[in-house]
Amino acid sequence: MMNERAEVQLNLEEEILKLKKELNAVILAHYYQESEIQDLADFVGDSLELARAAKNTDADVIVFAGVHFMAETAKILNPNKTVLLPDLEAGCSLADSCPGPLFKAFREKYPDHVAITYINCTSEVKALSDIICTSSNAEKIINQIPENQPILFSPDRNLGKYLSKKTGRDMLLWDGSCIVHETFSERKIIELQLKNPEAKLIAHPECESSILNRAAFIGSTSKLLKYVQEDNSNIFIVATEAGIIHQMKKVVPDKELIPAPPDNNCSCNECPYMKLNTMEKLYLCMKNKSPEIILSHEIIEKSLKPIERMLEMS
Ligand code: 13P
Ligand code: SF4
């Protein structure tokens, strides 16, 4: 049984690599993708690194192994390239929490505010924003906004609260959250730390403040990956989507990496949207050149500006 499964995987991998050549495609994958996809990808990174990789590629086709807003960002940066996403349903609870018409009304209510918007949002919301940010550059971007300039921060209230605290800026926050990063149990983390007193808690800033307040380090997925390499500790409790553990194990094979436990006995520390992409769907989307990300010229034009501002400011 094991061998049969391994054989199917091997063939799929071969077929995907063949199609990659035929299409002159590049495969970009986020850290939350399943490990087989990460291992096959040309580039694995966090949201900012993936946006940069999409901007710099000379491939004709970008195959985005991530979620919809990430593939949309790649399309906005490459309007003339084909951008494929293995499953169009691979969304994001943060993007869902912030529908374009409601965000437009929010902006209109506060016309004197600058809208800094987390990249985890739809292209429609990006088009209505002034500057896009990710968790790795948000602090740097906010620090460049003049002191007297009021700010709207959307859509992640946890990231927004964390950034307000870090930068000392009193921002108006949209009330959205990530279903994965809100799942971690403070009680179970404390239990784990009592059992492993030397374990360091590291957390993504999308987590709730009860978790962030206990963390020895807070950062984007790439920053967490770097931290486990550079820090002297040998044991970490990792409060972000469990997919990152795959890359962590590669760079620190001798360290102990404990995925932060969710509240229930579920796999809620795995993003259900990210995990919609599978090797099979990756293969099929390359074979059929579909599903493809299609955006109007108007949306591309309007949403490119705040993304470019982000790239300039970060
Ligand atoms: P980063 O990869 O930018 O840290 O973002 C995490 C995330 O939740 C992506 O959806
Ligand atoms: Fe969205 Fe959270 Fe999944 Fe990231 S982990 S894609 S923020 S739902």
Side-chain angles (χ1 to χ4, degrees):
M1 188 66 194
M2 274 286 286
N3 286 345
E4 262 173 47
R5 170 84 181 140
E7 206 174 299
V8 173
Q9 292 288 1
L10 190 70
N11 290 343
L12 267 184
E13 193 180 317
E14 276 174 14
E15 292 304 317
I16 290 169
L17 293 176
K18 237 189 267 170
L19 283 167
K20 202 176 77 149
K21 246 192 196 157
E22 274 169 40
L23 297 172
N24 186 27
V26 65
I27 302 176
L28 306 181
H30 190 267
Y31 292 122
Y32 300 164
Q33 290 295 286
E34 58 180 45
S35 40
E36 288 90 344
I37 296 181
Q38 292 189 37
D39 290 345
L40 188 88
D42 296 293
F43 183 82
V44 187
D46 70 4
S47 317
L48 179 63
E49 292 164 342
L50 289 167
R52 284 199 179 118
K55 187 179 158 69
N56 296 333
T57 185
D58 53 12
D60 296 321
V61 175
I62 299 173
V63 185
F64 214 109
V67 287
H68 197 273
F69 75 82
M70 296 179 174
E72 273 191 339
T73 305
K75 180 69 183 175
I76 295 161
L77 289 163
N78 294 280
N80 299 323
K81 292 191 198 291
T82 301
V83 178
L84 303 173
L85 180 66
D87 190 325
L88 279 188
E89 297 298 312
C92 169
S93 66
L94 276 168
D96 290 348
S97 77
C98 191
L102 291 185
F103 183 71
K104 188 166 181 279
F106 183 52
R107 283 230 61 181
E108 283 166 359
K109 200 170 163 196
Y110 302 102
D112 58 330
H113 284 53
V114 67
I116 303 183
T117 309
Y118 193 32
I119 198 164
N120 298 36
C121 64
T122 61
S123 52
E124 196 185 346
V125 167
K126 286 187 177 73
L128 292 162
S129 303
D130 296 306
I131 311 166
I132 298 302
C133 70
T134 76
S135 51
S136 56
N137 60 19
E139 190 180 338
K140 189 170 180 190
I141 288 175
I142 292 168
N143 283 334
Q144 290 172 65
I145 306 296
E147 287 281 329
N148 57 353
Q149 170 63 62
I151 300 172
L152 299 180
F153 187 86
S154 311
D156 189 348
R157 63 163 183 265
N158 291 321
L159 176 62
K161 253 192 246 170
Y162 165 73
L163 290 165
S164 277
K165 204 169 150 189
K166 277 248 64 186
T167 60
R169 299 296 291 264
D170 188 19
M171 306 190 289
L172 271 182
L173 307 181
W174 186 270
D175 192 16
S177 63
C178 162
I179 50 165
V180 180
H181 288 88
E182 277 208 331
T183 200
F184 301 117
S185 160
E186 187 190 10
R187 185 179 59 82
K188 289 188 186 169
I189 289 174
I190 296 172
E191 272 171 23
L192 265 175
Q193 286 190 306
L194 289 174
K195 275 190 218 148
N196 306 281
E198 74 284 24
K200 268 193 182 166
L201 173 68
I202 58 171
H204 194 281
E206 286 175 17
C207 293
E208 289 181 314
S209 47
S210 58
I211 305 294
L212 296 181
N213 290 341
R214 300 192 163 275
F217 180 74
I218 299 166
S220 72
T221 46
S222 285
K223 289 187 180 168
L224 296 177
L225 180 61
K226 201 163 167 238
Y227 188 79
V228 297
Q229 275 178 283
E230 291 175 355
D231 190 77
N232 291 334
S233 305
N234 282 317
I235 168 159
F236 297 93
I237 301 168
V238 183
T240 191
E241 211 268 6
I244 187 74
I245 303 279
H246 181 60
Q247 294 298 329
M248 288 179 171
K249 277 187 182 153
K250 287 187 187 181
V251 294
V252 288
D254 299 328
K255 294 193 180 182
E256 191 177 345
L257 304 157
I258 310 172
D263 243 331
N264 305 311
N265 286 330
C266 59
S267 309
C268 325
N269 57 357
E270 291 194 355
C271 174
Y273 305 104
M274 287 277 182
K275 280 359 188 220
L276 281 178
N277 296 329
T278 59
M279 286 286 278
E280 289 78 6
K281 288 185 202 169
L282 181 62
Y283 164 70
L284 285 173
C285 88
M286 293 173 78
K287 185 168 170 263
N288 302 328
K289 289 183 93 180
S290 168
E292 182 183 350
I293 300 291
I294 307 283
L295 295 172
S296 72
H297 289 301
E298 195 195 345
I299 281 286
I300 290 182
E301 207 179 36
K302 287 190 179 156
S303 51
L304 180 61
K305 282 185 199 146
I307 295 174
E308 280 183 333
R309 277 197 82 186
M310 166 183 85
L311 295 172
E312 284 156 21
M313 292 171 86
S314 51

